[in-house]
Amino acid sequence: MQLQRIDPAPRWVDRVAPVLLMLLALAHGLIYAFGIPLWQTPDEPMLYEYAALTAELGRIPKADDRSPALEQALVGSLARNDFYRHGWDLQPDPPPTTLDEAQGYAYMPRQVGGDPPLYFSIAALVLHGAGPLEIDAQVYLLRVLNVLLLPLVVCCTYQAGRILAGADPRLALLPIAAATLVALQPMATYVGASLSNDGPANAIGAMLCLLLVRGVAGGLRWRDLLLIGAVTLIGLLVKRTLLPYLLLLIPLLVITILRGLRPVGAHDVRRRIVLLSLSLGVTLLGGVWVWSQFDQRVAARWIDAQSLTAAPREATPGGPALRLRAGDEVGQGLPAVSLIRLRGNAVRYGVRAWSDTPATGRLIIHTDNRRDDYPFQVNGGLVEMSGWVPNYTQSVRVGIVADSGWFYADEFWMHGVGVPGQLIANADLERAALREGSLLQVFSRYFRFEEVLWSLGSG
């Protein structure tokens, strides 16, 4: 069967179609923005607090910044808009009057001091210029601010479709089909119409996709890489999930360099040698610099309770281990994402401890302000204890203390009963910690590489 020939779209279609589809995306987004009950998009209450607190303080807030008046208005709006009933099938009586009480009914981790600040700074400017609007109206205003970005996503999709279709008449409808799919996609619109930094991140991601499609189709040039890098850096100030685009720049850079090394004539031999030498030199120096940023004497993730610095590790025949002397205590906090699955569950925590002399110690599990201790005598074997994570625990930390003598400890592990996966990061102590104040440490903290590594290793 032969495919029916489809003639290329007339030029007026290329002018009118994207405009109509952008208006369609705008209308679709407004339906979601005003149709979804207030506070019923992911993390909306705490994201609003971040934006409103930025507007109130006139600066990027820190994790310990609080505003009692703002929190009281937020909690009042949650109760007024049936937040607990819609999202959690709860009807507190009486309703919470403080943010701490509200967090006892619904899991709402604070975003202040966590998410990148660019979106919230822009949202704060909008709130500051909006005057004395009630909190409910402010939320709708910020939702509409994100809706205005949906047409940009559709436009980028249409233009990418045009590039991919080229002059092939069989693909003439590809740009319209792709842009229509994006304009009417429910989840993309739901996210794009919420009060969050996801909408701007999606718009920047669409721009990056268009730049990549255009660069690959037309041949990547250095200015394309610089533009992609600049847009990516802006995106990373909005949301860390755009990090893959930054990592994608590495193979694109390699491809561009290799293209520059292709033989094009004898007179270009010197240029290719210089380019290859510079590339290898930069790679070697970069590797040496990265290695130098790690302190091999201390273990990543493990913190000394007294100095609040990375805990020292020592080499033993069985591999790296922590050496604890009487009075020493080390521990680590579990990533917040693990708490969602641990709440209301029993946990088991264990370690291997051994010594050449008699010694005693304790395993410790902290859940918020509660502390469970398990004393043990060091006999060269495995030690373990059990604990319980209450339903609304905000943090869990594990630790080990030396009470008398000294001993080595390694092979740490922690599991939730009925919850698969290792909960302790760097349990084998093989990974060294980054040096305090290192630029790579700042980079790692911003992108939360420790949480990424924990996710990969936890199962």
Side-chain angles (χ1 to χ4, degrees):
M1 184 179 70
Q2 291 184 341
L3 291 174
Q4 183 179 359
R5 180 181 176 86
I6 301 176
D7 293 329
R11 287 191 176 183
W12 67 268
V13 173
D14 269 340
R15 291 195 295 266
V16 175
V19 174
L20 294 178
L21 291 170
M22 290 167 68
L23 292 175
L24 177 63
L26 181 63
H28 193 201
L30 290 173
I31 291 172
Y32 272 77
F34 290 101
I36 299 172
L38 284 182
W39 313 118
Q40 295 306 314
T41 64
D43 301 320
E44 198 167 49
M46 296 295 96
L47 292 171
Y48 168 79
E49 186 216 8
Y50 194 163
L53 190 58
T54 303
E56 180 178 317
L57 298 176
R59 59 171 174 81
I60 298 171
K62 301 176 181 178
D64 55 353
D65 285 326
R66 306 289 289 259
S67 170
L70 171 59
E71 292 181 9
Q72 185 176 11
L74 175 58
V75 172
S77 181
L78 294 179
R80 191 167 58 249
N81 289 281
D82 289 332
F83 169 74
Y84 310 99
R85 181 175 64 83
H86 284 307
W88 305 86
D89 196 24
L90 297 172
Q91 196 68 42
D93 187 21
T97 57
T98 67
L99 186 58
D100 290 336
E101 289 180 8
Q103 290 173 320
Y105 285 98
Y107 179 61
M108 295 187 295
R110 292 190 79 212
Q111 306 293 322
V112 173
D115 276 357
L118 183 56
Y119 163 74
F120 300 97
S121 299
I122 296 173
L125 290 175
V126 174
L127 292 179
H128 185 74
L133 287 178
E134 294 292 334
I135 184 172
D136 293 5
Q138 291 181 2
V139 176
Y140 282 122
L141 178 63
L142 293 181
R143 283 185 176 184
V144 171
L145 177 68
N146 276 3
V147 169
L148 297 177
L149 296 174
L150 291 173
L152 174 61
V153 177
V154 169
C155 181
C156 290
T157 305
Y158 186 90
Q159 297 303 324
R162 283 189 62 192
I163 296 172
L164 292 173
D168 191 338
R170 294 170 299 179
L171 301 177
L173 296 180
L174 176 63
I176 295 177
T180 302
L181 177 65
V182 171
L184 296 179
Q185 216 284 332
M187 183 53 70
T189 305
Y190 168 73
V191 171
S194 65
L195 188 169
S196 77
N197 50 358
D198 289 317
N202 287 344
I204 294 173
M207 293 171 60
L208 288 169
C209 286
L210 174 59
L211 291 173
L212 288 169
V213 169
R214 189 185 70 173
V216 172
L220 280 170
R221 293 164 293 184
W222 289 105
R223 66 182 182 185
D224 296 319
L225 291 178
L226 291 175
L227 182 58
I228 293 171
V231 176
T232 301
L233 290 176
I234 294 173
L236 291 173
L237 293 175
V238 173
K239 197 170 179 69
R240 296 181 182 90
T241 48
L242 289 164
L243 177 62
Y245 285 101
L246 185 63
L247 301 179
L248 185 60
L249 281 174
I250 298 175
L252 291 178
L253 180 62
V254 172
I255 292 171
T256 305
I257 292 173
L258 292 177
R259 287 182 58 202
L261 294 175
R262 289 183 304 179
V264 293
H267 64 283
D268 259 356
V269 171
R270 181 179 298 177
R271 179 181 63 84
R272 293 198 299 272
I273 291 175
V274 171
L275 183 59
L276 180 60
S277 300
L278 285 174
S279 302
L280 293 177
V282 169
T283 302
L284 179 61
L285 289 175
V288 171
W289 178 80
V290 169
W291 175 260
S292 70
Q293 301 307 299
F294 289 88
D295 187 345
Q296 303 299 324
R297 299 168 300 175
V298 294
R301 290 291 296 183
W302 292 98
I303 302 299
D304 182 280
Q306 296 177 355
S307 64
L308 299 180
T309 59
R313 65 175 186 170
E314 294 187 12
T316 72
L322 302 178
R323 179 168 179 168
L324 290 91
R325 299 170 178 82
D328 289 347
E329 178 180 347
V330 299
Q332 70 168 266
L334 303 186
V337 65
S338 67
L339 298 184
I340 299 173
R341 304 191 66 185
L342 283 181
R343 287 194 179 94
N345 281 291
V347 292
R348 297 175 63 191
Y349 165 45
V351 63
R352 182 170 73 110
W354 77 98
S355 177
D356 295 335
T357 63
T360 60
R362 281 172 290 140
L363 294 181
I364 302 172
I365 299 177
H366 298 265
T367 53
D368 292 337
N369 295 323
R370 175 181 170 181
R371 170 174 171 151
D372 294 321
D373 292 64
Y374 177 77
F376 64 88
Q377 290 187 339
V378 177
N379 55 19
L382 300 178
V383 184
E384 67 176 75
M385 68 176 291
S386 297
W388 178 264
V389 180
N391 281 325
Y392 297 111
T393 294
Q394 299 297 314
S395 66
V396 174
R397 291 185 295 119
V398 296
I400 183 170
V401 178
D403 289 322
S404 66
W406 68 268
F407 58 86
Y408 286 116
D410 67 356
E411 297 182 12
F412 291 87
W413 60 270
M414 187 175 189
H415 301 287
V417 175
V419 179
Q422 161 72 292
L423 299 174
I424 296 180
N426 199 24
D428 55 9
L429 306 172
E430 291 287 346
R431 189 157 49 87
L434 288 166
R435 297 183 184 278
E436 192 66 33
S438 161
L439 179 62
L440 196 57
Q441 187 183 55
V442 175
F443 190 78
S444 174
R445 285 175 177 171
Y446 184 79
F447 292 109
R448 297 182 177 175
F449 280 153
E450 285 294 340
E451 279 96 344
V452 173
L453 292 172
W454 174 84
S455 299
L456 295 174
S458 69

